[in-house]
Amino acid sequence: MAILSVNAGSSTLKFSIHPLQDGAVQPAVMTGNIQGLEPGGTPDMRWTLDGRTQQRTLSAGSDAFAAALDGLRSLLAAEAAVPDIEAVAHRVVHGGRSFRSSVQVDDEVLAKLERLNSLAPLHQPHNIDGIRAFRAAFPGLPQIACFDTAFHADLPEVASRFALPRALHDEGVRRYGFHGLSYQYIMGTLLDRSPRARGRVLMAHLGNGASLCAAHEGRSQATTMGFSALDGLMMGTRSGTLDAGVLLYLMERGWNHDRLQTLLYKQSGLLGVSGLSADMRRLRADGSDAAQEAIALFTYRVVREAGAMAACLGGVDLIAFSGGIGEHDAALRADVCAALGWMGVQLDEARNAQAVGDDIVRIDAEGSAVELWVIPTDEGRVAAQAAAALLAAH
């Protein structure tokens, strides 16, 4: 048996299949991605099995997502090496106050999750649409929602509060934190490899979405993202932390909710500052002043927030980089580590240059006061583990 782990976005569907062995979830035997799921798009499915990557263009018809699920269902039936699927684990960004751990989805759960759409508009509606589509396409399988907020569910009270009236806090206006599936995987990987992982750990999930998490004894103590997935670090197209007075100023000038939401989620960050792209790789290749300014600001914000996380922990014993940028951008890691030299961080330049994101690599120099790691994340496996645990408990 196996767990099918999926992450449904606005135009893509990522999937991985994780066998169960003696109740334990194993690394994926198949991974894949279906692109072109936007209205009018042509689904393109690519998957890797036994070291071979294959591609198939699907006939979309009127519903690209339905065509994608038909293609996925046919693929699973045709591949003899793929175990039977026992359940589908869905990455869901926001669990709010109601969901502190994974849950089997029913109509009541979906209704509660839909109320959180405005807190993660780039992700939550598509996560929920994905669950609905999989329920229809795989009616006999349990659908399990696994939450990015769950890893931070036990944040200390002082770390989860905003300085707002108590009534708003009691309604759920508080810091939740995100990227929890990634942080859970990173933390578990570190605990298997380093005694320092039980100490003061700073994890950096740096990609199109970006955040930092401070952990101690394997548990989240502070994180840069808050009530929504907008707070904290500058991101690909999101602003990160912003003076609320800017929003009041724009509202006075006539900006409405939808225009502000588009600005903050889709037109800011690396894209907004550079005017070129949200892709760090393209900005690195571009020699313009605007591109370099965007990179410098991204780096500065990581360093600034890393200092805040270190203060919350009273120091740092280990730093781990992950996410698309954290795993692949050696220059970013070098610049961040240089700026954190005051903490005793010393980078091994050769190891750092060789860490390309496919393997777990330790990159600190001999004598560094802080261990440095590059950990390619695996959110799909964590979601599969959560789904398997939930099924076993029931």
Side-chain angles (χ1 to χ4, degrees):
M1 304 297 288
I3 304 292
L4 171 60
S5 187
V6 301
N7 182 0
S10 59
S11 61
T12 63
L13 174 66
K14 297 179 182 178
F15 62 90
S16 54
I17 298 172
H18 300 266
L20 297 174
Q21 183 175 329
D22 298 327
V25 172
Q26 304 302 306
V29 295
M30 176 190 284
T31 60
N33 188 18
I34 307 177
Q35 299 181 331
L37 302 185
E38 65 277 0
T42 300
D44 180 79
M45 180 166 66
R46 297 176 184 269
W47 69 96
T48 300
L49 177 66
D50 295 331
R52 294 186 303 114
T53 298
Q54 302 178 66
Q55 180 270 341
R56 181 186 303 163
T57 299
L58 306 174
S59 177
S62 60
D63 190 334
F65 203 97
L69 292 189
D70 285 342
L72 178 58
R73 193 164 45 194
S74 298
L75 176 64
L76 297 181
E79 294 288 357
V82 175
D84 291 337
I85 303 301
E86 183 175 357
V88 183
H90 297 263
R91 180 200 178 197
V92 178
V93 167
H94 214 309
R97 290 190 299 170
S98 299
F99 302 108
R100 297 167 59 88
S101 59
S102 299
V103 63
Q104 185 166 339
V105 175
D106 56 23
D107 291 340
E108 182 181 355
V109 168
L110 280 176
K112 289 181 178 180
L113 293 178
E114 282 183 328
R115 298 182 195 128
L116 303 172
N117 280 355
S118 63
L119 305 189
L122 292 186
H123 304 91
Q124 192 86 353
H126 306 300
N127 298 158
I128 294 171
D129 288 345
I131 294 174
R132 292 190 187 280
F134 271 89
R135 289 180 83 193
F138 297 86
L141 294 181
Q143 308 292 322
I144 311 297
C146 307
F147 301 102
D148 260 340
T149 49
F151 184 75
H152 308 288
D154 295 320
L155 273 174
E157 183 75 7
V158 70
S160 67
R161 275 192 175 270
F162 293 120
L164 292 171
R166 182 170 295 274
L168 289 174
H169 177 80
D170 294 342
E171 290 176 16
V173 181
R174 47 155 288 179
R175 186 178 297 280
Y176 289 97
F178 299 91
H179 292 135
L181 296 177
S182 178
Y183 288 134
Q184 185 173 337
Y185 179 81
I186 297 166
M187 195 73 251
T189 301
L190 290 171
L191 287 169
D192 286 340
R193 285 166 171 78
S194 173
R196 288 198 179 192
R198 295 204 174 274
R200 302 165 298 181
V201 175
L202 173 61
M203 295 178 282
H205 180 104
L206 307 177
N208 191 50
S211 69
L212 302 180
C213 175
H216 185 254
E217 293 288 344
R219 301 170 71 89
S220 178
Q221 301 298 308
T223 184
T224 56
M225 279 186 169
F227 178 65
S228 72
L230 270 177
D231 202 8
L233 302 181
M234 172 182 173
M235 304 176 221
T237 63
R238 282 172 267 176
S239 64
T241 296
L242 185 69
D243 183 345
V246 173
L247 304 184
L248 296 176
Y249 167 75
L250 294 176
M251 290 172 66
E252 290 171 358
R253 293 180 56 188
W255 288 51
N256 62 19
H257 169 277
D258 290 349
R259 190 178 178 189
L260 288 173
Q261 180 169 281
T262 300
L263 170 72
L264 298 176
Y265 278 98
K266 297 182 178 181
Q267 297 176 340
S268 299
L270 289 172
L271 174 63
V273 176
S274 70
L276 297 169
S277 176
D279 191 325
M280 182 67 84
R281 294 166 297 185
R282 181 176 172 189
L283 298 180
R284 289 282 184 197
D286 191 293
S288 68
D289 290 343
Q292 299 312 305
E293 184 179 10
I295 294 171
L297 183 56
F298 184 92
T299 306
Y300 170 78
R301 294 288 288 272
V302 173
V303 170
R304 189 183 76 171
E305 296 298 330
M309 295 294 103
C312 292
L313 292 172
V316 174
D317 301 306
L318 185 155
I319 299 174
F321 295 91
S322 194
I325 298 173
E327 294 168 22
H328 297 279
D329 195 325
L332 183 282
R333 294 194 299 263
D335 289 343
V336 169
C337 289
L340 298 179
W342 60 273
M343 291 197 302
V345 172
Q346 296 182 44
L347 182 71
D348 186 305
E349 294 183 5
R351 290 180 184 174
N352 183 51
Q354 293 166 2
V356 295
D358 296 325
D359 298 310
I360 298 168
V361 182
R362 184 172 169 180
I363 60 172
D364 52 291
E366 185 176 353
S368 177
V370 179
E371 284 188 12
L372 305 172
W373 292 79
V374 178
I375 309 285
T377 194
D378 191 346
E379 294 161 312
R381 186 173 181 182
V382 172
Q385 289 171 335
L390 184 67
L391 293 174
H394 287 77

